[in-house]
């Protein structure tokens, strides 16, 4: 079974631009969660989608948004990029229950100049 | 918000040493505790999901225990090998669907 894939793997943008990251979950998984990791910080939860609906959102500004398509693929968008948005963005897919394992992709490394 | 603490922050051991690290949390109000191994430039890899007090899991040389009453989980590695070098993450699954609360991890380096 193919794992979680994320594209692109690396991205360089400048302040003020916007960016879209993509995540393809494991086949059959309907939940996709997004996390941000910055140096010195643990993984911070951005949001989670299930069956095309955002069920939960972390404490991030409205510049961070996402969506999920009918095939469970998910995208996240960051508008008006700031230097502090430079981070590794990970997505994870799982079945449906809270105790289910989340399977992670390799991440997208975003650098904002 | 579930506050997850991991200790130590980093650990250096010699090949063949056994080691353990701790994940602590203040509440038993969660559904599961997850352990992940994260090697540089790779995806975090799921090791264990633990749901019951007194639960113990084992996978080869790695094992984990959970004590929900006292709020901690231990991860043990027996006879560490250089390929065990990675960051080990602990995460709680609470009532918020799809959200894991991660600790900052323990970075393990095993020297040959």
């Amino acid at each position: 079974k193919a794992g979680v894939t994320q594209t692109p793997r690396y991205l360089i943008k400048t302040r003020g631009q916007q960016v879209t990251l993509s995540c393809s979950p494991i086949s059959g998984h309907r939940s996709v969660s997004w996390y941000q990791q910055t140096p010195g910080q643990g993984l911070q939860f951005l949001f989670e989608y299930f069956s095309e609906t955002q069920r939960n959102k972390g404490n991030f500004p409205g510049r961070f948004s996402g969506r999920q398509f009918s095939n469970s693929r998910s995208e996240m968008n960051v508008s008006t990029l700031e230097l502090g948005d430079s981070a590794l963005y990970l997505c994870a897919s799982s079945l449906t229950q809270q105790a289910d394992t989340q399977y992670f992709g390799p991440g997208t490394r975003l650098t904002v100049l | 918000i579930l506050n997850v603490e991991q200790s130590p922050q980093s650990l250096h051991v010699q090949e063949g040493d056994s080691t353990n690290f701790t994940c602590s949390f203040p509440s038993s109000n969660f559904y599961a505790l997850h352990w992940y191994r994260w090697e540089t430039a790779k995806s975090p890899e799921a090791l264990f999901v633990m749901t019951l007090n007194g639960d113990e899991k084992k996978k080869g040389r790695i094992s984990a225990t959970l004590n929900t009453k006292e709020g901690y989980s231990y991860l043990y590695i027996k006879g560490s090998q250089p390929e065990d070098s990675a960051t080990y993450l602990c995460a709680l699954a609470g009532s918020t669907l799809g959200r894991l609360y991660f600790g900052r991890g323990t970075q393990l380096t095993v020297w040959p």
Side-chain angles (χ1 to χ4, degrees):
Chain A
K1 210 179 221 186
V4 178
T5 58
Q6 291 187 246
T7 56
R9 292 292 310 277
Y10 301 92
L11 207 46
I12 299 175
K13 292 284 187 180
T14 55
R15 277 182 300 175
Q17 287 187 309
Q18 75 164 22
V19 67
T20 299
L21 313 181
S22 180
C23 172
S24 293
I26 291 172
S27 177
H29 286 190
R30 294 164 67 190
S31 171
V32 174
S33 301
W34 287 88
Y35 296 87
Q36 180 199 61
Q37 193 203 34
T38 50
Q41 296 291 320
L43 292 170
Q44 303 292 314
F45 174 77
L46 282 154
F47 29 64
E48 185 258 0
Y49 286 86
F50 179 82
S51 291
E52 302 178 65
T53 300
Q54 184 184 89
R55 292 196 295 189
N56 286 293
K57 185 171 164 57
N59 190 24
F60 279 81
R63 301 184 296 105
F64 291 82
S65 63
R67 58 179 176 167
Q68 187 180 35
F69 301 94
S70 58
N71 62 357
S72 293
R73 188 177 70 85
S74 178
E75 289 180 347
M76 69 164 274
N77 184 278
V78 188
S79 62
T80 319
L81 284 165
E82 300 177 1
L83 294 179
D85 297 333
S86 295
L88 179 68
Y89 291 89
L90 290 164
C91 79
S93 75
S94 63
L95 290 168
T96 55
Q97 302 306 316
Q98 282 143 309
D100 288 333
T101 296
Q102 292 190 7
Y103 294 89
F104 284 84
T108 295
R109 172 74 62 185
L110 172 65
T111 302
V112 182
L113 303 176
Chain B
I1 291 184
L2 295 173
N3 196 25
V4 180
E5 299 285 340
Q6 290 189 248
S7 61
Q9 188 175 351
S10 66
L11 200 51
H12 295 253
V13 301
Q14 288 293 131
E15 183 176 355
D17 288 350
S18 292
T19 186
N20 66 85
F21 14 97
T22 305
C23 172
S24 59
F25 41 88
S27 165
S28 60
N29 187 23
F30 62 92
Y31 287 87
L33 183 141
H34 299 254
W35 281 101
Y36 286 87
R37 173 170 60 200
W38 194 1
E39 294 178 67
T40 304
K42 293 188 177 179
S43 309
E45 174 198 356
L47 288 174
F48 305 116
V49 181
M50 311 178 78
T51 55
L52 297 173
N53 192 37
D55 200 3
E56 183 167 343
K57 301 278 186 178
K58 189 172 168 144
K59 186 177 181 178
R61 295 179 291 98
I62 304 177
S63 60
T65 60
L66 174 65
N67 186 320
T68 54
K69 274 188 188 175
E70 305 211 5
Y72 65 83
S73 175
Y74 291 146
L75 189 78
Y76 301 91
I77 303 179
K78 186 177 175 182
S80 303
Q81 300 296 308
E83 57 265 31
D84 296 328
S85 296
T87 296
Y88 291 82
L89 297 173
C90 165
L92 292 186
S95 58
T96 303
L97 291 167
R99 177 175 188 166
L100 293 179
Y101 296 83
F102 281 87
R104 295 191 180 187
T106 293
Q107 186 173 13
L108 173 67
T109 304
V110 182
W111 299 102

